[in-house]
Amino acid sequence: MPLIRRSRRAVLASGAAFVAMPSISRAASRPSFNHGVQSGDVDTTSGMLWTRTDRPAKGREVEVADLLRFIKTAGVENTVWLTADVHYTAAHYYDPNAAQFSDFEPFWEFVSGPLHAGSFGPNALDNTFGPEVKFVKAPPEGQVNLPPSMGLQFFGLVDIDGATQQMTVRLMDRADTELYRVTLDPVGTSI
């Protein structure tokens, strides 16, 4: 039987009725984020988020609160933010129970790097998302843009155990000294 293609207008004009099947999804027609989401150029009022998609796509301005709410409502679990280009190293835990905005699931943020750049200390964290500083190593207060020869260059390592699905994050200095380590158990997954 040959396939007959008709426009939506022609179908409606002919009086034919049709029912959309709930199993049909347009998800395949939308771009997908196939390389995660990165962030950068963050200051006290804004930041840049970017990703690679599987086809050309348009971006839009996104509030962090909207992004965190989306992650929660979409059922995304085990969210961890890995951030570079901060000129110090730190581990932060964000808890909705301690936050002014609480419509999100708890998450970790690990910041480190870049290597071989001037180092600066972190800005003060506000309580919007309930951050708890678990670890920080930065230049002493008042000292900024210190050269790499001062030894304040950092990087992070992430290992995921295939058997347990645990993720271990290590914050390191340029001498390959481990400064901080935490192992995170997966949430809501079955092994």
Side-chain angles (χ1 to χ4, degrees), residues 68 79-81 92-96 104-109 129:
L68 292 175
T79 301
V80 173
W81 297 75
H92 305 133
Y93 179 73
Y94 292 85
D95 184 355
F104 67 94
E105 295 296 324
F107 67 93
W108 281 84
E109 175 190 35
F129 303 109

Side-chain angles (χ1 to χ4, degrees), residues 28-187:
S29 67
R30 292 189 292 256
S32 65
F33 300 113
N34 55 1
H35 284 76
V37 177
Q38 295 82 37
S39 66
D41 299 331
V42 177
D43 62 26
T44 58
T45 61
S46 65
M48 174 71 71
L49 291 175
W50 68 93
T51 185
R52 180 181 292 176
T53 58
D54 63 345
R55 66 193 80 173
K58 292 182 180 180
R60 69 178 182 93
E61 189 173 302
V62 177
E63 292 284 332
V64 172
D66 292 335
L67 181 60
L68 292 175
R69 183 182 295 119
F70 168 77
I71 290 170
K72 178 181 177 182
T73 58
V76 175
E77 296 173 324
N78 303 307
T79 301
V80 173
W81 297 75
L82 304 171
T83 307
D85 198 25
V86 294
H87 305 275
Y88 63 94
T89 192
H92 305 133
Y93 179 73
Y94 292 85
D95 184 355
N97 297 317
Q100 293 171 348
F101 172 85
S102 60
D103 194 12
F104 67 94
E105 295 296 324
F107 67 93
W108 281 84
E109 175 190 35
F110 300 98
V111 296
S112 206
L115 286 172
H116 303 298
S119 50
F120 298 85
N123 292 324
L125 297 172
D126 70 30
N127 200 35
T128 304
F129 303 109
E132 179 184 347
V133 177
K134 297 289 192 174
F135 173 81
V136 66
K137 184 161 184 184
E141 192 169 329
Q143 296 188 27
V144 296
N145 203 18
L146 298 177
S149 61
M150 296 299 294
L152 293 169
Q153 308 323 130
F154 309 104
F155 64 97
L157 297 173
V158 178
D159 296 305
I160 299 175
D161 184 299
T164 65
Q165 298 181 10
Q166 291 177 314
M167 182 172 79
T168 300
V169 177
R170 296 181 290 149
L171 301 178
M172 313 289 287
D173 68 12
R174 73 179 192 154
D176 206 27
T177 303
E178 183 177 286
L179 305 171
Y180 180 80
R181 170 195 290 248
V182 63
T183 298
L184 306 174
D185 293 319
V187 176

